[in-house]
Amino acid sequence: QVQLVESGGGLVQAGGSLRLSCVASGRTFSSYAMGWFRQAPGKERELVATISRSGTRIYYTDSVKDRFTISRDNAKNTVYLQKNSLKPEDTAIYYCAASRTISTTTVVTARNQYDYWGQGTQVTVSS
């Protein structure tokens, strides 16, 4: 069992930055590929970024490329999402998720392949 707790959300003006953190419980954090998802009101939950167990492979959805950076620190059981140049359309609840993978270089892009989810943190970007 893995418990995920996100933090770092809040209200920010367009063009600003935020860094989200997600801390995982347990000793097996490095066994999981990690992802950040977001869900805006009235929309489906969508993948934002994902990082492999080793941190060597990363995937971003097109709308956040060159603005968001995902990273992980396996010693701290933490995955981060640095968000720069924020836009009003980035407003959503952001969730981190964990997917157990065999390979250390697998990135997981399918929502239904994630085993554990955090409770989410609200990010609001004002124009």
Side-chain angles (χ1 to χ4, degrees):
Q1 189 77 7
V2 175
Q3 291 186 328
L4 303 172
V5 179
E6 302 99 332
S7 63
L11 174 64
V12 64
Q13 289 188 333
S17 298
L18 280 176
R19 188 175 82 155
L20 306 183
S21 300
C22 172
V23 179
S25 64
R27 302 179 181 179
T28 60
F29 178 72
S30 61
S31 299
Y32 294 87
M34 300 298 295
W36 283 99
F37 289 76
R38 66 185 178 186
Q39 188 167 17
K43 295 187 177 181
E44 290 191 356
R45 192 172 299 189
E46 65 171 353
L47 175 68
V48 175
T50 178
I51 187 167
S52 64
R53 287 172 52 189
S54 63
T56 56
R57 290 194 65 196
I58 289 172
Y59 170 87
Y60 297 100
T61 194
D62 286 345
S63 62
V64 307
K65 282 180 181 177
D66 301 324
R67 298 191 300 123
F68 291 8
T69 302
I70 189 171
S71 61
R72 66 188 294 161
D73 185 338
N74 286 345
K76 295 182 177 180
N77 283 12
T78 303
V79 62
Y80 304 96
L81 186 67
Q82 177 67 42
K83 304 161 55 176
N84 299 327
S85 303
L86 282 162
K87 304 175 181 180
E89 51 263 43
D90 294 319
T91 294
I93 300 174
Y94 283 73
Y95 301 89
C96 73
S99 175
R100 192 171 185 102
T101 62
I102 296 174
S103 169
T104 59
T105 58
T106 297
V107 289
V108 182
T109 58
R111 187 175 65 186
N112 62 6
Q113 292 185 1
Y114 282 84
D115 305 299
Y116 302 101
W117 293 82
Q119 83 289 348
T121 184
Q122 176 71 47
V123 172
T124 303
V125 184
S126 63
S127 58

